[in-house]
């Protein structure tokens, strides 16, 4: 009898543990986005390019893709993801795609039209906690509150050129040009603004010339930026990456032309001379070690992206004019550092952050 009672008690406890586990899992899912089943294994999104045709695809962990839109001549200027929805911008119109509906048939709907007085060619956008941040008219940072259907200004500095929204820290890093050129940080929660770095100035015949500073690439690991400095009375461009965690600015190879910092390594294209049209080589910097993974050749690299599947994409551009211009995509394996030519060419790559999967009531 005692054995029977013990067995019954064990079953009751086991059922209780199982039920509690299931209840907790379901409660956790209440705050998580559930995408359509065909998007299982997705770690990011990108705009795929082929023969001047463009489509939006989902990037999966295994390196495969899933088409969200078909190829067309529509080239979006920006792309972001938040709470089960994709956001894009084309000229003065912002679009949305709901990835929790459709089952393979996704509708692209306009969500906002903004009247730009002097629109910038270089557009920036970031979606954070139900708000779309974007640069407008090259002189302010705007936000569109999706829930309240309201647009307002959040930063009114004289001229904002470009920005990067870091969702992990809830901060926006942006370039402002006023009396000088600044790299600044805006804390979304507190509204606090602080200067990260400042471009140099030079006095020439009574005039003050401001040296440029600009964002090259931003991701969750670090922000790469360029900064013109006065070196031995000469104007020279140097490159840094900003370490968010340590609040540290690290000088990198000054021959860098473009690149990305990911998982502790810097992947970049570097000029081999100071000539007007130098050759370029492909390098990887890991701590103090620098490795050349492609020998010098006359073509440079643009559009460095982390594809989220253990590979970095870089696109080589070549040609002297529009009649000879072309592009060729390469991928670099993060572990082996092997570089290989590929047919797929992505731009506007965005990898999903944890905060992106939080369920927000923005319908």
């Amino acid at each position: 009898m005692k054995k029977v009672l013990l067995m019954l008690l064990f079953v009751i406890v086991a059922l209780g543990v199982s039920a509690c586990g299931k209840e907790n899992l379901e409660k956790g899912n209440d705050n998580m986005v559930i995408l359509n089943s065909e998007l299982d294994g997705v770690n990011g999104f990108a705009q795929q390019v082929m023969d001047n045709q463009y489509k939006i695809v989902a990037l999966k962990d295994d390196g495969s893709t899933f088409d969200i839109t078909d190829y067309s001549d529509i080239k979006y200027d920006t792309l972001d993801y938040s709470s089960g929805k994709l956001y894009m911008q084309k000229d003065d119109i912002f679009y949305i795609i709901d990835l929790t509906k459709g089952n393979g048939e996704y509708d692209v709907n306009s969500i906002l039209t903004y009247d730009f007085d002097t629109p910038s060619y270089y557009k920036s956008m970031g979606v954070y906690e139900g708000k779309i941040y974007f640069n407008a008219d090259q002189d302010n940072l705007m936000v569109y509150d999706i829930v309240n259907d309201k647009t307002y200004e959040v930063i009114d500095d004289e001229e904002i050129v470009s920005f990067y929204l870091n969702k992990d820290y809830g901060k926006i890093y942006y370039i402002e040009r006023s009396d000088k050129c600044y790299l600044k940080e805006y804390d979304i929660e507190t509204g606090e603004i602080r200067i990260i770095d400042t471009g140099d100035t030079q006095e020439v015949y009574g005039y003050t010339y401001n040296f440029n500073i600009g964002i090259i690439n931003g991701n969750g690991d670090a922000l790469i930026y360029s900064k013109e400095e006065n070196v031995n009375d000469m104007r020279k461009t140097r490159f840094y990456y900003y370490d968010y965690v340590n609040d540290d600015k690290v000088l990198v190879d000054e021959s860098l032309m473009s690149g990305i910092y990911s998982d502790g390594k810097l992947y970049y294209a570097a000029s081999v001379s100071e000539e007007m049209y130098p050759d370029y080589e492909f390098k990887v910097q890991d701590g103090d070690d620098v490795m050349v993974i492609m020998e010098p050749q006359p073509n440079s690299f643009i559009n460095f992206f982390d594809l989220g599947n253990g590979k970095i994409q870089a696109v080589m551009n070549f040609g002297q004019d529009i009649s000879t211009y072309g592009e060729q995509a390469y991928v670099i394996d993060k572990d082996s550092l092997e570089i290989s030519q590929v047919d797929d060419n992505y731009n506007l790559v965005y990898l999903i952050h944890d905060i992106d999967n939080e369920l927000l009531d923005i319908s």
Side-chain angles (χ1 to χ4, degrees):
M1 182 67 179
K2 185 180 293 185
K3 289 184 178 180
V4 174
L5 289 175
L6 286 174
M7 288 297 294
L8 287 174
L9 180 61
F10 175 78
V11 171
I12 291 170
V13 171
L15 288 173
V17 171
S18 176
C20 288
K22 184 176 181 181
E23 182 180 1
N24 290 335
L25 181 63
E26 290 175 348
K27 285 183 178 179
N29 285 339
D30 287 344
N31 295 319
M32 298 297 291
V33 176
I34 306 299
L35 299 180
N36 288 335
S37 59
E38 65 262 23
L39 298 176
D40 288 345
V42 164
N43 59 41
F45 301 90
Q47 184 168 246
Q48 187 169 355
V49 187
M50 180 179 290
D51 299 328
N52 291 322
Q53 294 285 296
Y54 308 86
K55 66 179 177 181
I56 303 298
V57 298
L59 305 175
K60 295 197 172 187
D61 293 325
D62 60 5
S64 63
T65 62
F66 182 88
D67 291 353
I68 304 299
T69 68
D70 295 326
Y71 274 121
S72 73
D73 58 358
I74 299 175
K75 181 182 180 181
Y76 293 103
D77 303 306
T78 63
L79 181 146
D80 204 350
Y81 166 83
S82 178
S83 191
K85 297 175 178 62
L86 275 177
Y87 297 87
M88 297 90 66
Q89 178 187 0
K90 172 64 176 172
D91 298 327
D92 59 349
I93 303 177
F94 294 80
Y95 298 90
I96 187 172
I97 301 176
D98 192 334
L99 301 176
T100 66
K101 303 175 182 178
N103 292 322
E105 296 291 334
Y106 295 98
D107 295 326
V108 182
N109 299 306
S110 62
I111 189 175
L112 169 69
T113 300
Y114 185 85
D115 184 16
F116 292 93
D117 293 331
T118 54
S120 171
Y121 175 78
Y122 299 100
K123 298 180 178 65
S124 302
M125 180 190 71
V127 184
Y128 183 75
E129 295 186 337
K131 295 180 175 64
I132 302 176
Y133 294 84
F134 61 97
N135 60 330
D137 306 326
Q138 299 184 6
D139 62 359
N140 49 30
L141 183 66
M142 304 296 296
V143 63
Y144 172 62
D145 187 326
I146 302 171
V147 176
N148 298 306
D149 190 24
K150 181 181 179 181
T151 306
Y152 55 91
E153 186 178 76
V154 289
I155 303 177
D156 59 356
D157 287 333
E158 183 174 325
E159 183 181 357
I160 295 177
V161 182
S162 61
F163 73 90
Y164 167 71
L165 197 162
N166 187 311
K167 300 184 185 183
D168 296 328
Y169 298 97
K171 295 178 180 179
I172 294 174
Y173 297 88
Y174 66 97
I175 301 298
E176 183 226 330
R177 294 174 180 166
S178 53
D179 58 321
K180 288 186 179 182
C181 287
Y182 299 96
L183 170 61
K184 291 187 174 182
E185 176 192 84
Y186 170 74
D187 189 305
I188 295 176
E189 182 178 356
T190 66
E192 178 184 359
I193 296 176
R194 69 186 184 100
I195 297 173
I196 301 297
D197 209 341
T198 307
D200 288 353
T201 59
Q202 185 177 30
E203 296 290 334
V204 180
Y205 302 115
Y207 292 94
T208 301
Y209 290 88
N210 297 321
F211 288 4
N212 285 327
I213 188 168
I215 294 175
I216 303 297
N217 197 313
N219 61 16
D221 292 328
L223 185 82
I224 300 178
Y225 67 98
S226 63
K227 178 184 177 183
E228 290 184 333
E229 297 177 325
N230 195 344
V231 180
N232 298 324
D233 294 326
M234 294 183 62
R235 192 166 175 166
K236 195 173 188 67
T237 300
R238 286 180 167 172
F239 296 85
Y240 295 81
Y241 70 81
Y242 176 65
D243 183 335
Y244 308 112
V245 176
N246 299 310
D247 189 26
D248 193 17
K249 300 180 287 290
V250 181
L251 179 66
V252 298
D253 190 338
E254 62 186 34
S255 63
L256 181 147
M257 299 298 295
S258 57
I260 186 172
Y261 188 90
S262 178
D263 292 337
K265 295 178 184 178
L266 179 67
Y267 304 81
Y268 64 104
S271 58
V272 298
S273 69
E274 295 186 357
E275 299 174 358
M276 183 173 293
Y277 300 106
D279 284 351
Y280 299 90
E281 57 188 4
F282 200 116
K283 294 182 176 181
V284 178
Q285 179 177 332
D286 184 2
D288 295 329
D289 297 328
V290 178
M291 294 149 282
V292 176
I293 61 174
M294 179 181 283
E295 297 303 321
Q297 38 78 41
N299 307 305
S300 184
F301 284 88
I302 57 174
N303 291 344
F304 281 76
F305 292 109
D306 190 333
L307 299 180
N309 61 348
K311 292 180 171 56
I312 299 289
Q313 175 197 268
V315 176
M316 177 191 290
N317 62 340
F318 52 86
Q320 299 299 320
D321 52 46
I322 193 170
S323 64
T324 58
Y325 179 82
E327 295 182 350
Q328 175 59 58
Y330 291 81
V331 294
I332 306 96
D333 187 285
K334 286 185 177 183
D335 294 327
S336 67
L337 297 185
E338 291 183 359
I339 183 169
S340 55
Q341 181 176 317
V342 295
D343 294 330
D344 295 322
N345 180 356
Y346 304 108
N347 62 24
L348 304 182
V349 177
Y350 180 79
L351 297 184
I352 298 173
H353 295 246
D354 288 341
I355 192 172
D356 289 318
N357 286 325
E358 293 182 1
L359 187 61
L360 301 173
D361 185 12
I362 56 175
S363 58

